[in-house]
Amino acid sequence: MICILLIGFSRNFLGVHTPQDVIVGFSISIIAIFVAGKLQLLVEGNEKLADILTFCGIAFVIVSLIYVRVKPYPLDYVDGKLLVDPVKMQVDFFKACGSFLGLMICIFIDRHFLHYEIPVGHENLSILTAIGLGFCFSWKNYFIKAMILPCFGTHWGNLVGYFITVFFAMVIFPMLITKITKAVD
């Protein structure tokens, strides 16, 4: 809680956000946490509803991508300089869409096929976790730029790259952990 408050204060202190920005950000976060908690209680044990919400999440990403690609953006200039470049602003959006799409698909795969449970107390779990985190970090910071962006371009490359990162973290690596821990036992 202290870190959250300090981050809000720092955004305002550094002048990168107004107090209104910080208050709205906090408000949206509180509402999102409340709604997510209520949805979790509603979905718990109801596989059909969970699948419907998963597919709604996937549809939301697709509709959002279409909207962002079709929507015209104003090009505002101040003293001959472009104030906000809409192409650069979309990069984070495509990263978020790739991550969220990966999350929705991976949740579906885990719920129906993997049923992964963390092998708590296994002697190699911390080493395996460190390896997985290292791979995800390397993939996100180096390989997406070197391998994916040249093939798909900045926007779609980030979407594909972040999707692959989430897919690895939530499907591939848990499968590897399961196989390794069963082989060691």
Side-chain angles (χ1 to χ4, degrees):
M1 183 67 144
I2 292 172
C3 285
I4 292 170
L5 293 173
L6 286 174
I7 290 170
F9 174 76
S10 73
R11 301 291 83 201
N12 190 308
F13 182 78
L14 294 172
V16 294
H17 291 285
T18 64
Q20 295 87 347
D21 291 341
V22 174
I23 291 169
V24 168
F26 281 143
S27 301
I28 290 171
S29 299
I30 290 168
I31 291 168
I33 290 169
F34 177 78
V35 169
K38 291 295 183 186
L39 276 175
Q40 183 176 359
L41 291 175
L42 185 67
V43 169
E44 200 166 302
N46 188 343
E47 289 294 320
K48 185 176 181 182
L49 182 58
D51 288 345
I52 289 169
L53 288 174
T54 300
F55 291 121
C56 286
I58 293 169
F60 176 74
V61 170
I62 293 168
V63 169
S64 297
L65 286 167
I66 292 169
Y67 173 74
V68 165
R69 295 305 290 175
V70 172
K71 179 189 181 309
Y73 291 92
L75 299 176
D76 296 327
Y77 290 90
V78 174
D79 297 329
K81 286 181 70 176
L82 185 61
L83 192 59
V84 176
D85 186 357
V87 175
K88 288 182 182 176
M89 295 299 291
Q90 291 176 5
V91 171
D92 288 337
F93 173 77
F94 276 82
K95 289 177 182 178
C97 283
S99 298
F100 189 70
L101 188 62
L103 179 69
M104 292 290 100
I105 291 171
C106 292
I107 286 173
F108 181 84
I109 290 170
D110 182 58
R111 196 170 51 246
H112 289 284
F113 303 107
L114 289 180
H115 311 288
Y116 177 69
E117 291 188 28
I118 298 171
V120 177
H122 195 276
E123 61 189 38
N124 295 327
L125 184 61
S126 58
I127 294 169
L128 292 170
T129 302
I131 291 168
L133 287 171
F135 180 83
C136 286
F137 177 80
S138 298
W139 177 262
K140 182 183 140 319
N141 290 315
Y142 304 110
F143 296 117
I144 289 175
K145 292 175 186 164
M147 297 169 52
I148 305 296
L149 294 183
C151 296
F152 294 98
T154 303
H155 291 134
W156 295 105
N158 276 308
L159 185 137
V160 169
Y162 276 72
F163 175 86
I164 291 171
T165 304
V166 171
F167 191 81
F168 174 82
M170 291 184 68
V171 173
I172 304 298
F173 201 66
M175 287 172 41
L176 291 173
I177 287 177
T178 302
K179 287 189 185 288
I180 291 170
T181 54
K182 283 183 181 177
V184 170
D185 292 338

